[in-house]
Amino acid sequence: MEKRLKLKIDIAILPAVILMYIMNYLDRNNIAAAKLGTMIEDLHLTSTQYSTCVSILFVGYISMQIPSNLILEKVGRPGLYLPSAMTIWGILSTLTCVVKSYQGLLVIRLLIGFAEAAFYPGVMFYLSCWYTKFEIAKRAAIFVVGSWLSGAFSGLIAYGVLTYLDGVHGLAAWRWLFLIEGVITIGIALTSMLVLPNLPATTRWLSKEERLLAIVRMIEDVGTRDDDAAPNSELETVDVLPQSKFRSAMVGFTMAVRDPKVLNFLQMMFCFATTAGINTVFPTIVNSLGFDRPKTLLLTAPPWLLVAITSVINSFHSDKTGERYWHMMWGPCLSLVGFVIGISTTKTAPRYVAMMLLLQIYNSWSLGFAWLSNSVPRPPIKRAAAVAAVNIGGNIPNIFVPYLFYSTASPNFYVGFAVCIVFAFLGMTGATTLRWQLSRLNKKLAAGETVDGLDGNTGFRFLH
């Protein structure tokens, strides 16, 4: 019965959130492809103004992360909340096709950031409400594949649009790029509203027994009921705890930022995200190979396809073995090799090998959030705040990384590559510290002590 339940959940949730994430990344990063068209000339942008337009999205994105996840937890209807946010950013992305100035582009990018803030931390919290600690990493990896595939599709779509639609109906090709991708986003968002379930206790198309099983699975996963569990009129036979003191969103936020584990995750993911910030300028880096625009756009696809494959394999194996630390480490190691090659030579063959390796830092991205969700098992309001807080740290680098890869730095990008190397090392150091910390907490649990409100006698242990 549990296998059938998980299959139903997988079919209902994963295809929808993957498609949503593909469009989330396309709408966020299509400005990099538009730069290879005539957008810079049409809007009379300087190099600094372009970098500001890239970065400003993340100002809005970061500022709304925690409020959005706390609202989501209180509303309790992710199946409606997440597609609604997607509809808003899809409309805004579509409207980008009519901007006439730097100021207009700046404002609309900021607003897109506000709307997109709901998505990634919201989905990670959403998945943690349905899947246990031995199931979530592989699902998170499958979900995040959407972003890697979007990196590949972005180049291919941009190649087609910029090559064949320039001047059609009087619109520049880059305007068609925003228009087409924005309309697709709106369509997927409206469809997702009809498909996505909400939470285990309130999903109508599950039988009463399946809803009960879905709740009990999550109780068993942490060895105790979540303090946020609330009675459900259709499941009155389920003995759940009454509403608790943790219902306050601000209390959940305070609990998250006072937890040393969460702060360690924040440091680790900030460092890895600084290294991974090259995603915002990846077409520019590939353009340093010296090929024309069509070849450059096509060459951006293989590195993203490779990381999509390796990240899924990595996370599946991590779930199978129940090990997190070593699976977090090998992606940054490969990226380090890529950065060293990239900073050492500008020869085409080794430089493209380097670009295939640079993005391997993303092997640690979805796994890092799965590890975080496992490490903050209760209450849900704290987990929601923790995921949002760490995701904020993981997106702050997107504000300043584009400035490190300024146009005159091509093709060597000494400053940008050097900064990425340093932060990759710092992130690996943070992961090592986190492993030591979780190991100490497990020893306390094994000795029968209580950690984070969890009794060691229940058998719960942190994965590390």
Side-chain angles (χ1 to χ4, degrees):
M1 184 176 179
E2 186 172 13
K3 287 181 179 179
R4 289 197 303 271
L5 172 65
K6 285 193 288 185
L7 181 60
K8 280 187 177 182
I9 298 168
D10 287 342
I11 292 173
I13 293 178
L14 294 181
V17 296
I18 289 171
L19 284 174
M20 292 171 76
Y21 205 11
I22 288 175
M23 300 314 300
N24 177 268
Y25 241 63
L26 281 177
D27 292 335
R28 186 188 312 174
N29 293 325
N30 52 14
I31 190 172
K35 182 186 178 184
L36 298 180
T38 60
M39 184 183 71
I40 301 295
E41 295 80 6
D42 292 348
L43 300 183
H44 309 291
L45 301 179
T46 66
S47 177
T48 301
Q49 287 176 331
Y50 168 77
S51 295
T52 302
C53 288
V54 173
S55 300
I56 196 68
L57 180 144
F58 296 97
V59 174
Y61 188 79
I62 288 167
S63 63
M64 283 300 294
Q65 295 272 297
I66 291 176
S68 176
N69 245 27
L70 296 177
I71 292 170
L72 171 59
E73 197 281 336
K74 298 292 280 186
V75 170
R77 300 191 65 186
L80 177 63
Y81 184 82
L82 297 173
S84 296
M86 185 180 185
T87 302
I88 294 171
W89 92 60
I91 293 171
L92 291 168
S93 183
T94 303
L95 293 175
T96 308
C97 75
V98 299
V99 297
K100 302 294 185 182
S101 65
Y102 162 65
Q103 291 78 10
L105 182 61
L106 197 67
V107 170
I108 209 159
R109 291 280 297 174
L110 177 65
L111 295 177
I112 290 174
F114 282 128
E116 286 201 355
F119 187 68
Y120 186 84
V123 172
M124 293 306 299
F125 171 68
Y126 182 33
L127 294 178
S128 72
C129 294
W130 283 97
Y131 296 107
T132 69
K133 62 177 175 286
F134 292 108
E135 300 165 351
I136 192 171
K138 62 174 69 75
R139 269 78 179 187
I142 292 172
F143 157 60
V144 174
V145 158
S147 69
W148 315 155
L149 291 178
S150 75
F153 291 152
S154 177
L156 299 176
I157 293 172
Y159 167 75
V161 173
L162 297 180
T163 303
Y164 299 107
L165 291 183
D166 193 26
V168 175
H169 296 296
L171 289 180
W174 67 270
R175 296 185 186 276
W176 277 111
L177 188 65
F178 287 108
L179 176 61
I180 291 170
E181 292 178 356
V183 169
I184 294 173
T185 296
I186 296 169
I188 291 175
L190 296 177
T191 303
S192 297
M193 287 184 187
L194 306 175
V195 174
L196 288 176
N198 286 305
L199 296 174
T202 58
T203 300
R204 303 295 182 185
W205 47 262
L206 291 178
S207 67
K208 183 176 181 179
E209 291 77 13
E210 287 172 329
R211 294 200 296 276
L212 175 59
L213 175 60
I215 294 171
V216 171
R217 272 168 33 86
M218 303 313 297
I219 292 174
E220 186 180 64
D221 186 46
V222 297
T224 185
R225 296 175 180 84
D226 275 326
D227 277 358
D228 279 0
N232 180 272
S233 59
E234 294 190 12
L235 295 170
E236 60 271 356
T237 58
V238 182
D239 180 24
V240 293
L241 291 179
Q243 212 156 294
S244 80
K245 61 183 179 181
F246 293 128
R247 292 303 292 176
S248 165
M250 288 311 298
V251 170
F253 171 71
T254 302
M255 292 171 65
V257 297
R258 287 182 176 177
D259 188 337
K261 298 192 307 296
V262 176
L263 297 180
N264 280 349
F265 272 106
L266 178 59
Q267 180 272 335
M268 177 184 71
M269 296 303 282
F270 174 85
C271 293
F272 284 155
T274 301
T275 305
I278 57 169
N279 81 85
T280 59
V281 292
F282 195 62
T284 300
I285 296 175
V286 177
N287 194 47
S288 69
L289 293 173
F291 293 107
D292 58 18
R293 185 181 70 188
K295 286 184 180 178
T296 296
L297 291 169
L298 293 175
L299 287 171
T300 61
W304 286 110
L305 292 174
L306 178 62
V307 76
I309 295 169
T310 57
S311 63
V312 170
I313 294 173
N314 187 43
S315 292
F316 267 65
H317 193 262
S318 179
D319 265 359
K320 182 178 180 180
T321 60
E323 199 281 333
R324 293 290 189 249
Y325 172 73
W326 291 109
H327 289 82
M328 284 288 294
M329 294 292 279
W330 75 275
C333 287
L334 287 177
S335 289
L336 276 175
V337 174
F339 284 115
V340 171
I341 295 173
I343 208 170
S344 302
T345 180
T346 57
K347 292 182 179 179
T348 302
R351 196 71 182 272
Y352 192 63
V353 170
M355 291 171 192
M356 295 292 289
L357 297 177
L358 295 184
L359 297 180
Q360 291 301 311
I361 185 71
Y362 280 108
N363 275 299
S364 301
W365 191 250
S366 63
L367 187 59
F369 280 96
W371 196 8
L372 170 64
S373 296
N374 300 153
S375 303
V376 187
R378 61 183 292 275
I381 191 69
K382 176 185 175 183
R383 187 167 66 247
V387 171
V390 172
N391 198 46
I392 286 176
N395 280 279
I396 287 176
N398 289 316
I399 295 176
F400 63 81
V401 169
Y403 294 98
L404 302 177
F405 292 86
Y406 44 91
S407 57
T408 56
S410 181
N412 301 99
F413 299 114
Y414 289 126
V415 174
F417 284 169
V419 169
C420 289
I421 289 172
V422 170
F423 277 91
F425 273 116
L426 291 175
M428 293 163 70
T429 302
T432 303
T433 303
L434 186 60
R435 186 191 191 202
W436 171 81
Q437 182 184 34
L438 294 176
S439 178
R440 286 187 64 228
L441 293 178
N442 279 344
K443 289 178 181 178
K444 289 184 177 182
L445 288 169
E449 297 182 37
T450 299
V451 175
D452 288 355
L454 297 170
D455 189 340
N457 295 322
T458 63
F460 175 84
R461 297 294 183 270
F462 295 101
L463 299 182
H464 59 80

